[in-house]
Amino acid sequence: MKKAFNILFWAVLGTSNLHAQSLQEAFGDYFRMGVSVNQWEVKAEKEVKEGISYSGAVSLDQTANYEHIARHFGWVVPENCMKCEVIHPQEGVYDFTLADQLVDKALANGQQVIGHCLIWHSQCAPWFFVDEEGKQVSAEVLKKRMRDHIFTILGHFRGRIVGWDVVNEAFEDNGSLRRSKFYEILGEDFIPLAFQYAHEADPNVELYYNDFSMNKRSKVDGVVNFFRPLVAKGLPIDAIGMQGHMIYGDTDYVKEYTYSIKAIASIGLKSQFTELDLTMLPNPFGFSGANVSDNISYKDAMDPYKDGLPKEKQEQFDQFWLDFFQMLMDNKENVIRATFWCLNDANSWRNDFPIKGRTDYATLFDRQCKPKPAIQKLIDMVKDQEKKALKENKPNKNK
């Protein structure tokens, strides 16, 4: 009976993957495939709002990109429009315009939406931490503001958003808690409080913690050790997100993230990769991670591929993603999502970070939004493995 079940299982599993024509079809039996979406991909804009740090504004009409977004990715994440400075710019004032447009378009295309993000020290509206006189607010005032912020946003999107990055980037690379304004006023309690408020606001959504540099053992150990007792006490958290802003040749990401996935699984939580991209540009400063407050001076030597990525570099790029996704497939029981940050090279934030003005090639689509070879290679990798699995489990007619 077990043998017959295995044959049926692989027959059903292999059928969908063998005919895959998109990333979400290829990897659908392994984990969710996602991508971040900017406002111009959702709806053409006439102008950029002043005072808001949007990336990806290479064109105010990028709506043609959505064909690729809908085809390859079943899950979408807003790049900026749900961050505090946009959605809650003043106390008691909420602007859901851009966020509603994104959610409505995703749902119309049969996609799921992840909210990003509720509590983050960066891109937080300035009013959040001060009173009318400009003085820092008390712990009780900040708790109330956090609760109102979370309850209002989750209430607005109830039934339309399936998961939220509740707290974003609360740890330093050495594993200690970041001394942000949230920490300064509330101490480490702001993290479990945020998850408590989110669960109370909508008990039916998945809740995540999200951070960068999670390939570093010191950081992932710090995050895991912080959440371990909280999870044991019943903290409502479903997964820990690892951003994955990677630099080619910088380190052995496959090995390091394998450790991170297992470390997170040791406390009973799943992992997800939430902001994947890969820069092929030089990194002489030893920079890593995604601390948006960092920005390094531009130098011509640090922007060597203005006219295009050389063939050798493109092949290295492709092979990196094949190795990385093989690692994800090998750990599929503990990985729930792989999300790329920015759809194409033209609108990728990596063009301006950490060195403003460079020409980067960090995504799976080129500057004309055409799919790179890596996409088909990833799809073919899954097909080849499914063919091999079917062959190995095919009954021997000679017996």
Side-chain angles (χ1 to χ4, degrees):
M1 179 64 71
K2 184 176 181 180
K3 182 177 179 180
F5 172 80
N6 286 337
I7 294 170
L8 177 61
F9 172 79
W10 284 109
V12 173
L13 177 63
T15 299
S16 59
N17 298 98
L18 285 173
H19 299 288
Q21 298 296 319
S22 68
L23 289 171
Q24 62 175 325
E25 290 173 350
F27 292 97
D29 292 319
Y30 294 92
F31 37 76
R32 309 163 180 172
M33 286 298 302
V35 69
S36 70
V37 177
N38 69 43
Q39 69 187 80
W40 303 282
E41 290 167 330
V42 174
K43 185 177 181 180
E45 294 284 333
K46 293 182 178 179
E47 59 184 12
V48 180
K49 285 187 177 182
E50 294 293 330
I52 296 178
S53 54
Y54 293 129
S55 61
V58 294
S59 169
L60 295 184
D61 184 1
Q62 301 172 32
T63 51
N65 294 356
Y66 216 90
E67 176 186 350
H68 299 294
I69 293 170
R71 176 185 178 190
H72 285 284
F73 304 101
W75 298 70
V76 296
V77 180
E79 188 175 351
N80 281 291
C81 68
M82 292 185 189
K83 292 172 181 174
C84 180
E85 66 178 0
V86 180
I87 206 168
H88 195 179
Q90 300 175 39
E91 186 169 13
V93 176
Y94 292 85
D95 185 354
F96 293 106
T97 305
L98 298 177
D100 279 337
Q101 290 172 358
L102 185 148
V103 173
D104 290 345
K105 188 161 189 174
L107 295 180
N109 279 277
Q111 297 166 302
Q112 304 277 15
V113 183
I114 300 296
H116 176 80
C117 52
L118 294 172
I119 299 298
W120 185 30
H121 64 279
S122 185
Q123 292 181 251
C124 186
W127 66 268
F128 218 93
F129 306 108
V130 297
D131 60 20
E132 293 179 354
E133 298 178 354
K135 297 179 180 178
Q136 185 168 287
V137 297
S138 67
E140 291 307 311
V141 169
L142 184 55
K143 286 180 185 178
K144 183 179 185 305
R145 288 181 175 180
M146 283 176 56
R147 189 179 188 279
D148 290 345
H149 178 77
I150 292 171
F151 265 71
T152 301
I153 294 173
L154 265 68
H156 180 85
F157 291 108
R158 187 187 300 272
R160 294 194 291 158
I161 288 183
V162 297
W164 281 92
D165 289 329
V166 178
V167 178
N168 196 48
E169 300 178 3
F171 287 80
E172 302 285 0
D173 282 4
N174 63 9
S176 65
L177 281 160
R178 182 185 299 278
R179 267 48 180 176
S180 66
K181 280 295 181 182
F182 287 107
Y183 181 89
E184 183 180 331
I185 299 172
L186 292 175
E188 64 182 39
D189 288 346
F190 85 90
I191 298 177
L193 277 173
F195 280 92
Q196 174 190 325
Y197 296 153
H199 181 66
E200 291 173 354
D202 189 348
N204 297 315
V205 296
E206 294 180 351
L207 305 178
Y208 322 122
Y209 175 73
N210 189 54
D211 215 326
F212 61 84
S213 294
M214 290 290 281
N215 62 300
K216 296 183 177 181
R217 186 168 295 201
S218 58
K219 185 158 192 174
V220 74
D221 284 348
V223 172
V224 166
N225 289 333
F226 177 83
F227 279 102
R228 187 185 304 276
L230 296 175
V231 171
K233 293 178 182 178
L235 182 76
I237 179 173
D238 295 282
I240 290 179
M242 299 186 278
Q243 293 181 10
H245 296 296
M246 296 175 281
I247 302 169
Y248 184 81
D250 187 56
T251 188
D252 188 344
Y253 289 106
V254 168
K255 180 179 179 181
E256 292 172 354
Y257 276 123
T258 298
Y259 172 86
S260 300
I261 291 169
K262 294 184 184 302
I264 292 169
S266 73
I267 60 172
L269 295 180
K270 301 293 185 181
S271 294
Q272 53 184 352
F273 287 83
T274 58
E275 302 180 23
L276 292 170
D277 51 35
L278 175 69
T279 180
M280 302 299 292
L281 300 184
N283 183 35
F285 308 99
F287 175 84
S288 65
N291 191 342
V292 295
S293 64
D294 293 331
N295 207 320
I296 302 169
S297 298
Y298 180 91
K299 296 181 184 296
D300 284 342
M302 298 303 101
D303 191 16
Y305 309 128
K306 295 180 181 179
D307 298 325
L309 204 60
K311 181 179 178 181
E312 177 187 5
K313 290 294 181 181
Q314 186 62 62
E315 290 174 348
Q316 291 172 344
F317 177 92
D318 296 349
Q319 188 59 51
F320 176 91
W321 287 119
L322 290 173
D323 294 340
F324 191 86
F325 268 75
Q326 182 63 62
M327 180 270 292
L328 296 185
M329 293 167 69
D330 291 342
N331 291 277
K332 64 182 182 298
E333 68 278 3
N334 290 313
V335 175
I336 63 173
R337 181 162 56 97
T339 294
F340 284 87
W341 201 250
C342 303
L343 180 69
N344 63 51
D345 291 342
N347 64 29
S348 172
W349 76 303
R350 298 301 296 250
N351 294 301
D352 290 329
F353 184 83
I355 302 176
K356 190 174 181 62
R358 293 199 296 181
T359 305
D360 212 331
Y361 303 86
T363 75
L364 294 184
F365 291 80
D366 67 17
R367 299 187 114 68
Q368 288 71 47
C369 208
K370 295 179 180 178
K372 295 180 182 179
I375 292 180
Q376 191 59 51
K377 289 180 181 180
L378 286 168
I379 294 171
D380 290 342
M381 179 180 72
V382 178
K383 289 181 178 180
D384 289 343
Q385 294 192 26
E386 297 300 346
K387 288 177 183 177
K388 182 180 178 181
L390 284 170
K391 185 177 180 180
E392 290 176 350
N393 287 275
K394 187 176 181 180
N396 190 337
K397 295 181 181 180
N398 295 326
K399 290 187 177 180

